[in-house]
Amino acid sequence: MEIYSQRAPEKVKTPLFWDASETDYCLYQNLIRGLGQTIVSAGEMMIGAEHNNTPESSSKLTDGIFASVPTYTDGAFFKFYRAMERTVFYDIGRISAIHEFCGSFLYEDATGVRPPRIVRVRVSEDADKWQTAAVITGIDRGSEDAVLKIRAKFDAPIKARFVSISFNVD
């Protein structure tokens, strides 16, 4: 059973821009809230992986509901289980000003759930030429189970329509 489409966004030839007359044109907001994603797994999924990985069609990554309990049984978590690196892609729909990236990962010692060692955030205007916007390392898991929040604020807004987030899943 394939739980990910294994496809990156298709290249866009004509850029699209937001209309400056829209009421939220200058509003600082979560640009991926409510969007769907496509996911690529760098490795082959293990047998039984469909039970331990949330399907790509789930809205859990962008629904605005954050896990509050540091256990994999908290229903708010989108689960990624094994199979090496994952890249999650979002198409914002139009070229936008990206100011930061925020997210969270679980650390739960008893179940072997660990945060990634490196998170890479990349952006593109056309889904062809990508640039690295942030590399987040040293996610401190501490000594107790926790929901670990990460954030990368950019020095200046980055122009992009597409965003990808890549990380290892051990």
Side-chain angles (χ1 to χ4, degrees):
M1 174 182 185
E2 194 66 43
I3 52 178
Y4 303 140
S5 64
Q6 295 293 85
R7 61 181 171 81
E10 291 184 24
K11 181 180 175 182
V12 172
K13 294 178 183 167
T14 306
L16 296 174
F17 297 90
W18 298 106
D19 185 335
S21 67
E22 293 183 42
T23 57
D24 63 351
Y25 182 76
C26 290
L27 185 65
Y28 187 89
Q29 59 187 307
N30 181 342
L31 294 170
I32 65 167
R33 185 166 188 166
L35 293 181
Q37 61 274 325
T38 58
I39 301 173
V40 172
S41 176
E44 191 172 319
M45 295 296 217
M46 297 172 64
I47 295 173
E50 64 273 7
H51 300 295
N52 296 309
N53 286 278
T54 304
E56 177 181 79
S57 59
S58 173
S59 64
K60 289 182 180 188
L61 287 174
T62 62
D63 64 5
I65 299 169
F66 290 89
S68 57
V69 181
T71 176
Y72 79 96
T73 59
D74 184 320
F77 277 114
F78 191 105
K79 297 175 186 172
F80 294 99
Y81 178 75
R82 310 253 183 215
M84 310 290 281
E85 184 175 88
R86 300 291 200 294
T87 301
V88 181
F89 293 96
Y90 292 98
D91 179 354
I92 297 169
R94 303 221 183 313
I95 293 177
S96 304
I98 312 292
H99 294 262
E100 68 179 327
F101 164 77
C102 303
S104 63
F105 291 93
L106 172 64
Y107 170 61
E108 187 178 22
D109 190 49
T111 58
V113 177
R114 307 278 190 272
R117 291 180 298 279
I118 298 172
V119 177
R120 287 183 177 80
V121 180
R122 298 176 69 218
V123 295
S124 175
E125 292 182 34
D126 61 5
D128 183 42
K129 295 178 221 79
W130 292 84
Q131 72 180 57
T132 300
V135 177
I136 303 165
T137 59
I139 300 171
D140 184 16
R141 65 180 186 216
S143 60
E144 296 186 20
D145 295 352
V147 177
L148 307 168
K149 295 185 180 182
I150 61 171
R151 168 175 265 151
K153 285 189 159 233
F154 310 133
D155 293 335
I158 299 171
K159 218 167 76 164
R161 172 178 168 174
F162 299 92
V163 177
S164 76
I165 302 104
S166 299
F167 51 91
N168 273 7
V169 179
D170 293 330

